[in-house]
Amino acid sequence: MTPRTLTKYTVLTMRTGLLIDMDGVIYRGSQLIPGAAEFIQTLRRERIPFIFLTNNSQRTRRDVCMKLQRMGIDVEERHIFTCAMATARFLAKLKPSGTAYVIGEGGLLQALHLNGYSIVDHEPDFVVVGEGRTITLDSLELAVNMILGGAKLIATNLDPNCPTKGGTRPGAGATVAYLETVTGRKAFSVGKPSPIMMRAARKELHLATSQTVMIGDTMETDILGAVQLGFRSVLTLTGSTRREDLGKYAFGPDVIVESIAELCDIGRFIDRDLPKANQDDDTVTNMADWVAANA
Ligand SMILES: O=C(CO)COP(=O)(O)O
Ligand SMILES: [Mg+2]
């Protein structure tokens, strides 16, 4: 099948799938955002494909499911895609069976193990930095010397901070900036807005570019990543972005909503409010998977 025939086929079997950010869209820290549970229920009832896409590397897929379940949202592990998973898969391709020194928590450690990595405390191939509350000056000093000794610096994400119920918490980006300043080396980051994570998430749902919509609260990660990949995007104002901030950016989302509650009538939203996709943006790389998933 040539790409031209595929484009026609895409139009004929048109469906939309959603990449949904978590913090700032579904919850804010430990507080559920009103309407989020109903929104996910609707997606399940109407069989609209979706996956949660988070730059939080702290939790494993199972931990994230449990956090959601306790908030009244019932999803399976296949619905979760974290920057820890994207980072571990990326490293496993770059250097199979490698070693890492990790500044981060369970989600990152488990993802690395599942992808054939060993965690070490000297001479690692990579220093991998994610979100965490266990950082100490000793762990940073160890990391500095490993990086100066030749280990490559990898970031799960570069979010400088994250809004919480009570204010702001520091993000992995702040830790990475510390290590970059001390060592003079530049980190490579895998999480949103990196195409590595954005594209991997689209492929998890077997969607074409024109079928993919990103819903997020952060311009620098969710919306920028979507714009760069040619996905349509929806910005929610329940997280890190205020309407008056938008003038600062030279790019923007396709649609802005106050909160995810406005998307509960998702069928109507897709048909009426979401701009039509540009079919020319399509990049379907694995035909067999795509045809099977869209049959
Ligand atoms: O935790 C984060 C950055 O610290 C961001 O989380 P989300 O990507 O789910 O918004
Ligand atoms: Mg967010």
Side-chain angles (χ1 to χ4, degrees), residues 21-23 53-56 131 157 159 161-162 169 171 192 217:
D21 174 49
M22 303 197 80
D23 217 318
L53 200 60
T54 179
N55 263 4
N56 193 319
E131 302 289 334
N157 64 302
D159 297 57
N161 53 47
C162 194
R169 71 167 163 78
K192 301 176 288 185
D217 70 305

Side-chain angles (χ1 to χ4, degrees), residues 125-205:
D125 297 317
F126 300 99
V127 168
V128 186
V129 180
E131 302 289 334
R133 293 175 170 275
T134 52
I135 302 164
T136 61
L137 271 180
D138 283 346
S139 65
L140 290 171
E141 190 176 327
L142 257 178
V144 163
N145 286 297
M146 289 167 178
I147 295 163
L148 293 176
K152 304 286 184 286
L153 177 57
I154 300 286
T156 59
N157 64 302
L158 293 177
D159 297 57
N161 53 47
C162 194
T164 60
K165 200 167 88 181
T168 298
R169 71 167 163 78
T175 315
V176 171
Y178 180 104
L179 292 174
E180 286 181 337
T181 305
V182 180
T183 62
R185 305 279 164 86
K186 193 98 191 110
F188 183 79
S189 174
V190 181
K192 301 176 288 185
S194 165
I196 298 172
M197 180 162 174
M198 305 295 294
R199 180 172 175 276
R202 170 181 72 75
K203 286 174 72 72
E204 287 280 311
L205 289 183

